[in-house]
Amino acid sequence: MYRVVRVIDATTIVVERDGVQSQVSLAGIEITDRQNAIAFLSWTLQSSWVMIENGQVYRSPDGMLINSELVKKGYARAAGIVSADHVSTVYLGELDLGVREKPQASASKQPARRARTARPSTIPRRPIRSRIIRAPLR
């Protein structure tokens, strides 16, 4: 875990661990809106703890992937490395289900079983009475 010291620019942050500061470049993104990306990084990461894995920066304790958040907000676009939680979007009009085949009817098919009817309980029922009018049962 590293403590974020400051944000240098839209793709570079300075982190500190055991008194040693080092620069980390965010991997897999290409910045499109530099000012908003810097503001987002400053607001999100300033003096927080992060985990860094091959240029992918995860905020602690919620585990938010900063690289993909920049892409989701529209301040950057993915370039090269695709995050692990990336799912390609397929719209309904683009979805190809193919030809649907009819199920084959078999001669030995048994008719569906009917559900059993409920039987009355053998436990005697007692009326439920409120506490106010409850009298001792005899």
Side-chain angles (χ1 to χ4, degrees):
M1 297 296 278
Y2 301 91
R3 170 71 79 181
V4 176
V5 178
R6 68 181 177 276
V7 176
I8 294 177
D9 64 5
T11 59
T12 309
I13 60 174
V14 176
V15 295
E16 180 180 342
R17 183 174 185 188
D18 298 331
V20 178
Q21 292 186 1
S22 60
Q23 291 184 2
V24 175
S25 295
L26 301 175
I29 58 172
E30 182 181 330
I31 300 298
T32 57
D33 187 355
R34 189 162 302 282
Q35 283 185 325
N36 285 331
I38 292 171
F40 175 75
L41 288 175
S42 298
W43 182 78
T44 307
L45 295 179
Q46 196 63 40
S47 73
S48 64
W49 290 92
V50 294
M51 183 182 85
I52 301 167
E53 191 175 84
N54 298 329
Q56 302 288 324
V57 178
Y58 297 90
R59 185 176 68 179
S60 178
D62 62 353
M64 179 173 72
L65 179 58
I66 299 300
N67 303 41
S68 69
E69 282 297 314
L70 283 168
V71 173
K72 288 178 189 174
K73 299 270 185 201
Y75 307 144
R77 66 175 156 242
I81 301 172
V82 179
S83 65
D85 62 346
H86 176 75
V87 178
S88 63
T89 305
V90 177
Y91 296 99
L92 189 57
E94 300 171 348
L95 189 63
D96 183 21
L97 297 175
V99 179
R100 197 169 187 187
E101 296 179 13
K102 292 182 179 179
Q104 304 247 344
S106 63
S108 64
K109 188 174 179 181
Q110 298 287 332
R113 293 181 62 188
R114 293 182 61 190
R116 289 194 224 165
T117 57
R119 292 186 220 143
S121 174
T122 58
I123 301 172
R125 295 189 176 189
R126 294 182 143 184
I128 298 173
R129 295 175 282 167
S130 67
R131 290 183 179 194
I132 297 171
I133 59 169
R134 188 177 293 173
L137 295 175
R138 298 181 189 189

